[in-house]
Amino acid sequence: MTEMSTSRSAELTLLVAGESSAARSARATLDTLIGDGLAEASHVRVIDVLQQPDYALRYKVYFTPSLIVETSTTTTTIVGDLHEIDEVRSLLAAA
Amino acid sequence: MDEQPQFHEVEARSVLETGIAGLDHITGGGLPRGRVISIFGAAGAGKTVLGLQILAHRVSMGERAVFISFEQTADSVLEDMAGFSWGADGFPEDDLIVLETGVPTDLHISGRFDMQGLIATLLAVTDASGATIVMLDGLNALLSLLLEEADERRELLRLTDWVRSQGLTVLITAKASAENERARTRAEILDYQTDCVLVLDRLQTGNTISRTLQVTKYRGAAHIGHIVPVVMTHNGVDVVVAASLVLEDSTTSVSGSRPDERMPTGVEELDPLLGGGYLVGSRTLLSGAPGTSKSTLAAAFSLAVVQGGGRVLYVSFDEVRAQLELHTSSVGYSFREPLENGSLRILEESAAGGTPEESALRIIRAVDELGANAVVIDPVSALTSSGQPFVEEALSYLLTSLSQRGVTVLLTSLLHGAASLDDEATNSNISTIADNWIHLTYIANGGERNRALTIVKSRATAHTNQVRELVITSDGIELRPAYAADGDVLLGSARVQKEEQDRTAAWLRSVEYERGEAEILASMAELEGRISGLGNEVDLRRRDLERLRSTRDGALERTATALEARVASRRSGNLANEGEANQK
């Protein structure tokens, strides 16, 4: 599936702010995606911007949680708690 | 202590000078430090410029600042800033950090989120740089991505709370509230959540746009809440309000002039009428109909100041420079030399070209550039009758700023048609602002129109209130005493004729006096003669009386003596008779 290959090769960075419910929801979605094989665990990282504010500055992330999807050619930002997994799946596919 | 809580709060208030004198004045010293300040305004109202200018000033004062734009790129912000006098030289990157942010183009939203990323960004930048002041420009672009109003409220609250906890001063710009429902709500939230709110706006009058600023909120401090005029030039934002009077007093001594020092009026006969000339730093209003020589008097003053080593700014609203030069040189006041040596500058202003507050700023700038110690504004009525909304503010700013600089001011005011002194006094309040008020008029008499000058008022100076005739000769202006007769003031040939008549009458009167005096003297001499004659008569009578009395006294004496003699003789006679008898 082309869908799978795109997201699997992408670098995923989830930026969260502390341990909010939105952060927990986003993490859970990310875990599901990895479990589904839609994302490669080695290409996924989670960063707390309150601990490492430089990342917020670097990615121009003002909203949390934010999932940054970087391929060799594009950068897509998905903002929100990602609780609608299907929606996230299709966004990832489009990335 | 509970009785005066507000005093304590004012004392404890830490302010941040903006470097915009008028804004600092109306906010009682500056914006609240360590607080959130909102700048509202429509697109193009100057929100970004105002914020950048404040940051630039703080940087020049040794602080570090961060500018985060959500609408513009860093390059375009720097480019905009370079267009202003305070930004032309640029700033060290570490002192004024401009962040090229912007919302990512490929952004999707899935689910609920908050703005803690922004807080993390601010934390990162301020921690690394040590910046104490931050501006968030175009935050509404970011806020509009929030899904619901409740989210927006919550996130703004989170942001402002965090800012306060950090002791940061944050400026947030936001679009004017009238745009749409969401923007209105956002403005309401910001208004509620922030400590100080500045509203920039524009006001159209005819083809002219006046910019305005209003401090609608300043928590914990007194502020001037009315709408004040703003001018945008290459110097950025200027808030046109007259600064405090305290400043005015302290700078009078700065100018180094004695309190009673005077400047020549340029008309020899006028100086003594004003106690020696115009007081240095005073304001004089020259009012009159067209052609009553207001400009000529102003030119005479200008040249007198220049000849005394001063510098004069001549602001001409009606005439272009060439016209003014021609007009004044035709009556003996040539501007050529002082213009060439730079002691006189003509500033051509047009009342139609802009707002009075813009003119006021240009005049003050020109005064500072020239180092002028006298200013002529000819006519100031071009400003005051412009129909613009901030005439009073502009005039007050202009005159206060000139006073602060110790500049002597001559204002001419044009009165049209049958406008009287009363009209001048009521239509403009210049006459109350002015220390001296000289009114020029035409008086028609015997087929002539002659110019007359009256000193309506001259503050703190003994002055004459008599009308003088103003005569323009090839050597300039001369004042001649006017002739008052039967309640009329006579000028020109009527004055000459009347003077001749009166001279004859006076001669006749003097002859009469002489004659009368001689008559009285003669009559007095005659009376004195009579008095002396009567005196002699009295003496005669007195002598008669004495003679009479002495005669009477002599007779009595003789009678007494005779009686005594008879008694004696009788006594001796009896003895003799007795002897005779004895003999017989």
Side-chain angles (χ1 to χ4, degrees):
Chain A
M1 281 164 79
T2 48
E3 251 185 46
M4 202 174 285
S5 60
T6 309
S7 57
R8 280 179 70 88
S9 61
E11 293 283 335
L12 302 185
T13 308
L14 178 66
L15 300 165
V16 295
E19 279 302 317
S20 63
S21 61
R24 281 194 296 276
S25 162
R27 275 171 195 271
T29 300
L30 206 55
D31 286 344
T32 309
L33 292 173
I34 295 166
D36 290 353
L38 279 170
E40 186 65 56
S42 62
H43 290 179
V44 172
R45 57 182 171 170
V46 178
I47 286 163
D48 184 348
V49 291
L50 298 182
Q51 304 295 320
Q52 294 174 279
D54 282 357
Y55 279 88
L57 190 57
R58 190 191 305 170
Y59 286 106
K60 294 176 189 170
V61 161
Y62 312 112
F63 300 127
T64 43
S66 275
L67 180 63
I68 317 290
V69 183
E70 290 171 288
T71 68
S72 54
T73 51
T74 60
T75 301
T76 305
T77 306
I78 305 168
V79 169
D81 60 12
L82 314 177
H83 75 281
E84 294 284 347
I85 296 184
D86 289 342
E87 191 178 47
V88 179
R89 277 200 185 102
S90 59
L91 284 169
L92 266 182
Chain B
M1 287 291 128
D2 283 344
E3 298 118 49
Q4 313 174 311
Q6 71 270 47
F7 292 129
H8 284 275
E9 200 171 341
V10 170
E11 273 169 12
R13 187 166 67 100
S14 171
V15 294
L16 175 145
E17 246 184 54
T18 64
I20 301 165
L23 180 56
D24 288 340
H25 178 66
I26 60 171
T27 53
L31 300 176
R33 186 179 281 285
R35 300 297 170 97
V36 185
I37 299 130
S38 293
I39 304 174
F40 287 121
K47 303 183 293 293
T48 306
V49 175
L50 176 63
L52 272 174
Q53 190 175 343
I54 294 169
L55 293 200
H57 179 71
R58 293 322 304 169
V59 167
S60 75
M61 299 300 284
E63 276 186 73
R64 284 186 167 177
V66 179
F67 182 90
I68 305 178
S69 173
F70 300 98
E71 290 175 330
Q72 281 176 280
T73 64
D75 279 348
S76 78
V77 171
L78 291 169
E79 214 172 279
D80 287 353
M81 211 157 51
F84 293 100
S85 56
W86 38 262
D89 297 336
F91 294 93
E93 269 178 38
D94 292 344
D95 291 348
L96 179 55
I97 300 156
V98 178
L99 285 185
E100 181 174 324
T101 55
V103 178
T105 44
D106 198 4
L107 184 127
H108 307 277
I109 289 167
S110 179
R112 304 286 294 268
F113 55 90
D114 59 40
M115 280 199 342
Q116 296 217 57
L118 175 62
I119 291 174
T121 304
L122 291 174
L123 191 63
V125 184
T126 52
D127 263 6
S129 63
T132 49
I133 175 165
V134 176
M135 177 159 170
L136 304 176
D137 192 33
L139 188 62
N140 42 291
L142 203 62
L143 292 172
S144 59
L145 295 172
L146 290 167
L147 303 178
E148 287 167 28
E149 237 175 70
D151 294 337
E152 191 162 317
R153 188 186 300 270
R154 187 193 62 232
E155 293 311 316
L156 277 173
L157 220 145
R158 191 200 304 278
L159 180 66
T160 50
D161 282 351
W162 179 80
V163 161
R164 268 191 284 266
S165 74
Q166 299 294 303
L168 278 173
T169 307
V170 174
L171 304 172
I172 298 176
T173 60
K175 292 263 159 56
S177 57
E179 277 185 2
N180 56 48
E181 190 59 40
R182 184 75 182 265
R184 198 157 32 243
T185 311
R186 181 178 304 144
E188 279 165 15
I189 298 167
L190 268 176
D191 193 87
Y192 177 72
Q193 274 302 310
T194 57
D195 303 283
C196 179
V197 177
L198 311 180
V199 178
L200 292 170
D201 207 350
R202 286 184 293 183
L203 206 69
Q204 185 160 2
T205 313
N207 291 325
T208 314
I209 305 279
S210 305
R211 290 175 180 273
T212 64
L213 181 145
Q214 186 181 20
V215 181
T216 59
K217 179 181 180 181
Y218 198 131
R219 205 172 266 163
H223 64 269
I224 299 173
H226 56 246
I227 295 170
V228 295
V230 161
V231 172
M232 189 90 78
T233 63
H234 80 285
N235 289 326
V237 173
D238 267 300
V239 176
V240 183
V241 290
S244 61
L245 288 166
V246 182
L247 255 174
E248 195 174 357
D249 284 345
S250 65
T251 45
T252 323
S253 54
V254 171
S255 68
S257 66
R258 297 192 322 271
D260 61 340
E261 197 177 334
R262 300 204 177 239
M263 269 190 177
T265 61
V267 179
E268 208 181 314
E269 299 84 4
L270 183 56
D271 288 349
L273 303 185
L274 290 162
Y278 302 127
L279 261 179
V280 167
S282 68
R283 302 158 184 162
T284 300
L285 174 68
L286 276 179
S287 64
T292 46
S293 304
K294 297 181 298 297
S295 297
T296 311
L297 259 179
F301 168 66
S302 302
L303 287 182
V305 173
V306 163
Q307 276 151 17
R311 284 167 181 269
V312 179
L313 179 73
Y314 196 112
V315 185
S316 177
F317 271 96
D318 283 350
E319 289 179 299
V320 294
R321 181 179 151 153
Q323 263 180 341
L324 180 70
E325 280 186 68
L326 193 69
H327 160 205
T328 52
S329 64
S330 71
V331 286
Y333 298 109
S334 172
F335 280 170
R336 206 176 48 135
E337 204 183 304
L339 280 172
E340 275 169 12
N341 68 30
S343 54
L344 176 72
R345 189 180 148 191
I346 297 173
L347 179 68
E348 290 168 43
E349 278 287 332
S350 164
T355 62
E357 53 270 24
E358 286 167 349
S359 293
L361 265 187
R362 274 195 295 271
I363 292 168
I364 294 300
R365 199 168 306 135
V367 163
D368 288 344
E369 278 169 14
L370 183 66
N373 47 357
V375 168
V376 172
I377 300 172
D378 183 25
V380 75
S381 43
L383 272 184
T384 54
S385 59
S386 65
Q388 297 286 331
F390 296 110
V391 165
E392 270 182 43
E393 287 84 352
L395 192 65
S396 166
Y397 167 83
L398 176 62
L399 294 179
T400 306
S401 302
L402 291 173
S403 280
Q404 282 170 349
R405 288 160 174 76
V407 173
T408 309
V409 184
L410 193 63
L411 308 163
T412 72
S413 181
L414 189 62
L415 294 182
H416 281 290
S420 68
L421 281 186
D422 292 339
D423 291 334
E424 176 65 23
T426 49
N427 288 348
S428 74
N429 62 351
I430 309 171
S431 53
T432 61
I433 296 168
D435 301 304
N436 304 315
W437 180 7
I438 297 171
H439 185 62
L440 300 167
T441 183
Y442 279 122
I443 293 180
N445 188 291
E448 281 183 17
R449 270 156 70 84
N450 298 291
R451 296 180 179 94
L453 177 150
T454 319
I455 299 170
V456 183
K457 81 166 180 181
S458 180
R459 202 173 275 164
T461 304
H463 63 278
T464 175
N465 56 1
Q466 277 185 358
V467 176
R468 302 286 156 141
E469 182 175 2
L470 188 150
V471 181
I472 297 180
T473 71
S474 55
D475 294 330
I477 290 174
E478 270 178 35
L479 291 190
R480 290 176 193 161
Y483 222 90
D486 305 329
D488 280 336
V489 171
L490 301 180
L491 304 173
S493 54
R495 169 175 59 80
V496 173
Q497 192 184 337
K498 178 68 182 168
E499 276 173 354
E500 189 54 45
Q501 278 175 7
D502 285 5
R503 251 196 303 279
T504 311
W507 178 77
L508 285 171
R509 270 197 304 277
S510 79
V511 168
E512 282 292 307
Y513 288 144
E514 278 171 33
R515 201 176 60 199
E517 190 181 322
E519 275 174 8
I520 290 166
L521 282 173
S523 142
M524 278 168 69
E526 190 220 14
L527 280 170
E528 273 163 9
R530 278 163 61 186
I531 287 167
S532 135
L534 285 168
N536 291 340
E537 205 170 318
V538 168
D539 281 349
L540 281 174
R541 297 273 183 228
R542 190 178 291 122
R543 276 198 291 278
D544 284 351
L545 182 65
E546 280 168 8
R547 213 171 337 175
L548 186 69
R549 278 179 182 158
S550 70
T551 309
R552 183 192 63 185
D553 289 351
L556 282 172
E557 206 174 325
R558 276 193 306 277
T559 309
T561 313
L563 275 171
E564 279 168 21
R566 275 198 356 237
V567 168
S569 73
R570 184 170 298 161
R571 211 172 270 158
S572 65
N574 285 343
L575 287 174
N577 288 343
E578 280 169 21
E580 278 174 24
N582 286 340
Q583 281 173 2
K584 284 176 189 177

